[in-house]
């Protein structure tokens, strides 16, 4: 099996970090061409730095990291230090990166890479606000038909919102960008809160990361422990949801997930429900399906995969 070529577009974020580590620990299935950073959980200067910290943690300073858009298309940036801490990667004490940031802008890198590869051979994995992806699609509409698939974390239907009562963070930060992506005609798979809220890091699962005894295993345990404090309090759940790793796990083991191919539209104007992902889960309209909206996963299988792959780093 040839590994699937991907670009990870990200705003690390502890759960972004785990998603990246899962990809880098799975070279038989995934070839990470590059990592593009976007402003989201924390400002761009921190997300691009955190992406490099994670590559170095994984022993992969050869992965090129690019900085992209520092703000949403049409609104001021909203960040989430209340969840992720001041640095975005609070929890473990990791050294500052020594690997360089690439000079090229992330949007130009995305466009050039897709154009340079055969049609249908590059998948985009957005783990943050969709600003970089939408900007690339606006600037180079020809790439839409060349992209193999977009597998993204964002949105919610049954779980509704985590940053407002109606909206999930990634989509809320840049609803205009999300709207462009969902109207692009590209094959899209969505990991909404509906599924990520079932991927809970329980104490037992956290212990399994720590028990690996490796620097990466211990760092993952410390990262998930950090943002767990916030989520446990908020949801009263047994652990924090591990959102972004659902994206990279899907590339390796799609059989762990189930969902529906439905129409998804983004609310871009209402002040009350801005950034809501209006998913026609019950197919009550005749709007054409444009995305596979995932609703469930085998959580034990997911954490077994994650632990096994983190162990390889
Ligand atoms: Ca993220």
């Amino acid at each position: 099996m040839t590994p699937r070529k991907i670009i990870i577009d990200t705003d690390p974020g502890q759960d972004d970090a785990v998603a990246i580590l899962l990809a880098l620990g799975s070279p038989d299935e995934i070839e990470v061409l590059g990592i593009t950073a976007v402003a989201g959980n924390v400002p761009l200067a921190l997300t691009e730095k955190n992406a490099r910290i994670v590559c170095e943690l994984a022993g992969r300073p050869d992965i090129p990291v690019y900085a992209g858009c520092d703000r949403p298309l049409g609104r001021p940036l909203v960040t989430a230090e209340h969840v992720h801490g001041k640095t975005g990667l609070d929890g473990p004490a990791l050294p500052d990166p020594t690997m360089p940031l690439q000079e090229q802008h992330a949007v130009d890198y995305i466009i050039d890479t897709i154009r340079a590869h055969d049609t249908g051979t590059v998948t985009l994995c957005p783990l943050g606000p969709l600003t970089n992806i939408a900007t690339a699609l606006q600037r180079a509409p020809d790439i839409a038909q060349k992209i193999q698939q977009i597998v993204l974390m964002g949105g919610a239907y049954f779980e509704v919102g985590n940053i407002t009562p109606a909206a999930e963070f990634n989509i809320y930060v840049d609803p205009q960008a999300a709207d462009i992506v969902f109207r692009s005609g590209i094959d899209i798979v969505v990991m909404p809160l509906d599924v990520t809220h079932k991927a809970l890091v329980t104490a037992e699962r956290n212990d399994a990361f720590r028990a690996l005894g490796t620097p990466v295993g211990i760092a993952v345990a410390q990262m998930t422990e950090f943002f767990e404090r916030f989520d446990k309090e908020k949801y009263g759940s047994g652990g924090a949801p591990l959102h972004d790793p659902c994206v990279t796990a899907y590339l390796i083991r799609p059989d762990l997930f189930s969902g529906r191919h439905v129409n998804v539209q983004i609310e871009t104007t209402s002040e009350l429900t801005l950034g809501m992902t209006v998913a026609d889960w019950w197919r009550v309209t005749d709007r054409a399906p444009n995305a596979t909206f995932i609703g469930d996963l085998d959580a034990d299988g997911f954490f077994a995969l994650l632990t096994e792959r983190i162990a390889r780093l």
Side-chain angles (χ1 to χ4, degrees):
M1 166 179 172
T2 322
R4 197 161 162 180
K5 292 182 168 67
I6 69 167
I7 297 171
I8 300 177
D9 187 69
T10 177
D11 63 337
Q14 293 90 348
D15 60 319
D16 301 72
V18 179
I20 293 166
L21 293 170
L22 174 57
L24 295 178
S26 308
D28 291 342
E29 294 93 351
I30 298 176
E31 180 185 351
V32 180
L33 298 175
I35 296 179
T36 52
V38 67
N41 286 326
V42 285
L44 182 68
L46 287 169
T47 60
E48 63 86 351
K49 180 181 167 191
N50 291 344
R52 291 183 290 139
I53 289 174
V54 174
C55 289
E56 290 193 355
L57 174 65
R60 293 297 303 276
D62 57 302
I63 302 282
V65 173
Y66 303 81
C69 301
D70 65 358
R71 74 196 69 175
L73 297 183
R75 334 176 38 230
L77 178 65
V78 176
T79 54
E81 283 89 351
H82 60 293
V83 182
H84 301 276
K86 223 179 184 169
T87 67
L89 265 192
D90 280 21
L94 296 169
D96 278 351
T98 56
M99 63 183 275
L101 178 68
Q102 301 295 312
E103 275 176 27
Q104 192 180 23
H105 192 281
V107 170
D108 295 321
Y109 168 74
I110 291 169
I111 294 170
D112 288 357
T113 304
I114 292 164
R115 283 180 176 163
H117 284 80
D118 290 341
T119 295
T121 60
V122 177
T123 292
L124 300 181
C125 298
L127 309 177
L130 289 159
T131 320
N132 285 345
I133 311 298
T135 305
L137 288 170
Q138 277 186 320
R139 207 175 289 168
D142 58 288
I143 63 171
Q145 54 89 25
K146 292 203 75 183
I147 295 168
Q148 181 178 10
Q149 196 172 45
I150 293 179
V151 184
L152 68 90
M153 191 278 138
Y157 180 68
F158 293 98
E159 292 284 306
V160 200
N162 63 355
I163 184 75
T164 75
E168 179 279 331
F169 179 80
N170 287 346
I171 306 295
Y172 175 78
V173 172
D174 199 342
Q176 206 179 323
D179 186 48
I180 290 167
V181 171
F182 278 87
R183 288 177 190 279
S184 67
I186 299 165
D187 179 4
I188 299 175
V189 178
V190 187
M191 294 292 163
L193 298 181
D194 305 337
V195 65
T196 68
H197 280 180
K198 293 172 182 164
L200 298 177
V201 189
T202 59
E204 203 176 67
R205 289 165 177 165
N206 194 277
D207 287 346
F209 293 136
R210 191 180 304 272
L212 294 173
T214 59
V216 181
I218 292 165
V220 167
Q222 289 170 333
M223 283 191 256
T224 54
E225 226 163 46
F226 179 85
F227 74 93
E228 190 173 75
R229 277 179 283 182
F230 170 81
D231 280 312
K232 264 182 166 168
E233 205 172 299
K234 180 174 170 189
Y235 300 111
S237 58
L242 213 42
H243 306 284
D244 294 344
C246 289
V247 167
T248 40
Y250 178 83
L251 300 177
I252 304 164
R253 289 281 310 274
D255 58 298
L256 294 174
F257 298 85
S258 60
R260 290 186 184 186
H261 193 228
V262 297
N263 180 272
V264 180
Q265 295 195 9
I266 310 298
E267 176 57 59
T268 57
T269 52
S270 160
E271 255 178 62
L272 186 63
T273 60
L274 186 69
M276 187 172 187
T277 44
V278 181
D280 190 5
W281 183 262
W282 302 113
R283 300 189 178 108
V284 293
T285 73
D286 55 7
R287 295 198 284 258
N290 61 344
T292 300
F293 207 75
I294 302 296
D296 208 353
L297 91 166
D298 168 355
D300 286 335
F302 169 79
F303 278 96
L305 173 72
L306 199 50
T307 310
E308 182 213 325
R309 299 307 166 93
I310 298 291
R312 293 183 184 180
L313 294 170

